[in-house]
Amino acid sequence: HLFDSAGEPLSEAWLSVTRQGLPALARQAETVWDTDFEGDPAGSLWFEFDDLWSGDYSVTATALVDGAVQSVSGGATLTGDGTEADLNLALAPAVTLRGLVLDGSPDDGGQPAPGAEITLRAAGGRPAGTAVTSPEMAELGRFTLPAVVSGDYTLEALDFASGRRAALPVRVDASAGDPADRTLVLEQLG
């Protein structure tokens, strides 16, 4: 079931399901009863995802509610024996987290790092968002993570080509609006 921040059932949202941080399923539900999701127009609205393998999944819902982006994530474990997992998700105000990744190597120190993988991790290490820094000259090394709700996170950057990494604790307060851009400097780690 999906609810807005006031507790009202929500029938329109973008839903994504990830397993081990990788996309497993993503769909837009315009109205619950005429999409791949199932629901009862006269009763409680609910979404159903079929044909998922056993394992741990994260479900993220994002919607525009009264002109503001709201988002929520939840987790479920499927055992593969045909049992169902129920999630009740209530949307919360969300913001966009932006930033820049710089190369900290002695040769290229301070230069933007295009193509770095960005992961925003919530408590417990669960991925809450992913992006890749831009290779375009005007936005070189920049990233955008939309629909981030209030909470404490770790923002990670990884440049596969060099093996350089960066991590930065981040506190997001969605009630204060979009936070200031974050800068991560890639370093060779141990």
Side-chain angles (χ1 to χ4, degrees):
H1 299 90
L2 183 60
F3 305 93
D4 66 17
S5 58
E8 295 297 318
L10 193 64
S11 63
E12 200 171 320
W14 175 259
L15 299 170
S16 64
V17 178
T18 58
R19 180 171 181 234
Q20 298 175 337
L22 300 174
L25 185 51
R27 296 186 182 137
Q28 180 162 357
E30 293 175 357
T31 56
V32 175
W33 43 88
D34 63 5
T35 68
D36 292 340
F37 307 104
E38 297 182 17
D40 175 4
S44 178
L45 303 177
W46 53 284
F47 302 94
E48 182 177 288
F49 300 96
D50 294 319
D51 302 322
L52 295 175
W53 296 77
S54 60
D56 295 325
Y57 290 87
S58 292
V59 178
T60 302
T62 304
L64 191 60
V65 179
D66 297 329
V69 174
Q70 294 191 359
S71 186
V72 65
S73 292
T77 298
L78 301 179
T79 59
D81 60 4
T83 58
E84 295 180 3
D86 291 328
L87 285 175
N88 289 311
L89 302 174
L91 294 172
V95 295
T96 299
L97 183 61
R98 294 179 176 87
L100 174 65
V101 177
L102 300 174
D103 190 331
S105 72
D107 297 332
D108 295 324
Q111 297 299 313
E117 181 179 292
I118 304 298
T119 304
L120 183 66
R121 294 193 186 278
R126 181 183 54 79
T130 59
V132 175
T133 58
S134 177
E136 301 297 324
M137 192 51 94
E139 292 291 313
L140 195 64
R142 300 201 58 77
F143 64 89
T144 300
L145 293 164
V148 178
V149 298
S150 294
D152 292 320
Y153 299 93
T154 300
L155 184 61
E156 301 172 347
L158 170 63
D159 179 20
F160 285 106
S162 69
R164 296 183 183 285
R165 301 173 180 265
L168 178 69
V170 175
R171 173 166 279 163
V172 173
D173 179 4
S175 68
D178 286 347
D181 285 8
R182 305 291 194 219
T183 300
L184 293 106
V185 179
L186 296 170
E187 302 290 340
Q188 192 69 40
L189 299 180

